[in-house]
Amino acid sequence: MDFAKQIVKALEVPHTDEGVSSGLQFVSSDDLLPVPIEERTWTAFSYVAFWGSTSINVSTWMITSSMIVLGMSWWQAWLVIWIGYGVMTPFIVLAGRPGAVFHVTFPVVNRASFGIFGSLWCVFNRATMACIWYGVQSSIGGSCVLVMLRAIWPSVNNIPNTMPLSSGTNTRDFMCFILFWIVSLPFIWPPVHKIRHFFTFKMIITLFACLIFMIWCIVKAKGVGPIVKQPATIHGSELAWAMISGIGVCISNMITLTTNAPDFGSRAKTPSAPVISQFWSIPFSYGLICLFGVIVSSSSQTIYGETIWSPVDLLGKFLDDNPSNATRFGVWFIAFSFIIAQIGTNISANSVSAGCDLTALFPRFINIRRGGYISAIVGLVMCPWNLVSSSSRFSSYMSAYSVFLSAIAGVMVTEYWFVRKGHYNVSDLYVTRKGSWYWYNYGFNPRAYAAYVAGIAINVVGFAGDTGTPVPIAATQIFELSFFTGFGVSGIVYYILSWMFPVPGSGGVFAEIDVSGYEEQRMASCDEDTNSKDGSTEKASSTV
């Protein structure tokens, strides 16, 4: 029995306050507490670098392709990109505000809305999404590794396959996936407040590589290609709904980052650091990368007689037919930059998010670093190449999760901005006692769950249509607006229920304050500890 206790003790994460009872260790840990002052290092430029880094990846590069295939012209598709990401930017700022002001992560902010224990379901949903996306982005990263290795050793492309057909992959592709997966592991290790430097590095090198790639393609095609000159093939209401559908694609791509906005907001040096910087950097970053994608793909139509939307596939084409050494070096450098891009996206959107979420599920045994490595392991064992092989199945799965997350975000934003109006009780976010602000009914907030279900319900019929079931056209159109309908319905229902059944701390004038004075108490405690140590040192010196 003592041996088992020793093993459990060894598996526990270090706690600054070793006096915390074992009961509270299930709702509190160092990574769940407000971020210490010395770790609040993210300035406005850090958020510019973060979004510039996050936007540069293969998925973003290809996002305009679906819109042009639907019949839009390139400038209409590009306009949709600006609208879609521009519309999501205020929601990211609104959702991340509690993190920037009170320096707490998404799982803790979610407790304020859903309750100490009620938040666990929401956190589990977000952690699942992050782990799945980690595997998907790693699978794309593996294809970048293949192109980079081909540029060095062309024979890599001819590695014989020894894996069965049922595996869904082959020896060559699996080897490249594992190489990317292994190379990514060290980047999970640094703490969140320090990885801003990696985002800055990634933004510089990948933006430079994308610019070279675009210029290279324009030179090879002797122009920007026919897609840029191609008019729209749809008009009127059909064009309007196609644009709405395109905006929905942008929103689905951002909903996960919206819910976990407090994770990075908690590292802000000042509450204003993430505001203006994000308002312009998000739409600009995604708009710029999508423009690169349109021009490069348009040039590929002239070069090869077919439109190649994936930059990785186009780089692979450059390596066919005995390329020169200069071409091989250029492909190597661009493929290398895309590998850096995929690693950075996995950190910003997936490993850190999964780490924060898993910390809340098992705070006694998991911290952000361990959670990040767990997401990497899940991303490996889920065999992501099987998931992305069926684009319709993957799209339907992601659409379903977007519906769930939009309802969660609607409750959280309404709770902070309209119900409690910026008032927080930070101390009560870490206690499990009756009468605390976030205890509600045995740790669950029934108002939040009623609103959450309402936000999902309005999109259920449309989701059934997305999976192939015949449904009315109105339901399909509602589903294309699933973020706004889910967010709006859940927010309105939550506000009404909170007005009918008030919660502690609701109402009053809007003011972003912590009524518990947690920060002041914490600083006073640190000062007392310092004075105590100084006093002990002086006493020891006088005795000597």
Side-chain angles (χ1 to χ4, degrees), residues 58 61-62 64-66 68-69 227 293-294 297-298 300 307-313:
V58 176
W61 185 283
M62 297 172 58
T64 49
S65 62
S66 60
I68 293 178
V69 169
I227 292 178
V294 169
S297 299
S298 179
S300 71
T307 304
I308 303 173
W309 290 106
S310 170
V312 182
D313 293 343

Side-chain angles (χ1 to χ4, degrees), residues 177-339:
F177 172 83
I178 289 296
L179 285 175
F180 178 86
W181 188 84
I182 292 173
V183 169
S184 300
L185 295 181
F187 293 91
I188 299 176
W189 185 267
V192 178
H193 66 282
K194 290 185 178 180
I195 58 175
R196 72 190 193 281
H197 303 303
F198 175 73
F199 293 142
T200 302
F201 165 75
K202 175 196 165 181
M203 181 183 69
I204 295 171
I205 190 171
T206 53
L207 191 59
F208 179 64
C210 288
L211 187 61
I212 290 176
F213 193 15
M214 182 183 69
I215 295 173
W216 190 8
C217 289
I218 292 174
V219 171
K220 286 175 71 72
K222 296 181 175 61
V224 292
I227 292 178
V228 174
K229 304 170 185 175
Q230 178 180 301
T233 58
I234 55 176
H235 306 279
S237 62
E238 187 180 3
L239 173 61
W241 279 108
M243 294 182 75
I244 291 173
S245 178
I247 291 172
V249 171
C250 299
I251 290 171
S252 295
N253 197 37
M254 292 293 285
I255 181 61
T256 55
L257 288 166
T258 302
T259 52
N260 79 290
D263 292 343
F264 293 97
S266 62
R267 268 67 188 177
K269 196 166 187 177
T270 62
S272 61
V275 182
I276 301 300
S277 58
Q278 293 189 116
F279 265 113
W280 70 265
S281 64
I282 294 175
F284 178 80
S285 299
Y286 283 89
L288 182 62
I289 298 305
C290 289
L291 180 62
F292 287 158
V294 169
I295 294 176
V296 169
S297 299
S298 179
S299 301
S300 71
Q301 176 72 42
T302 301
I303 300 169
Y304 295 106
E306 60 176 318
T307 304
I308 303 173
W309 290 106
S310 170
V312 182
D313 293 343
L314 183 56
L315 287 172
K317 279 274 192 182
F318 285 2
L319 293 176
D320 296 339
D321 304 323
N322 299 317
S324 65
N325 289 336
T327 297
R328 288 171 58 186
F329 175 77
V331 170
W332 175 88
F333 174 72
I334 296 170
F336 171 76
S337 74
F338 277 127
I339 291 171

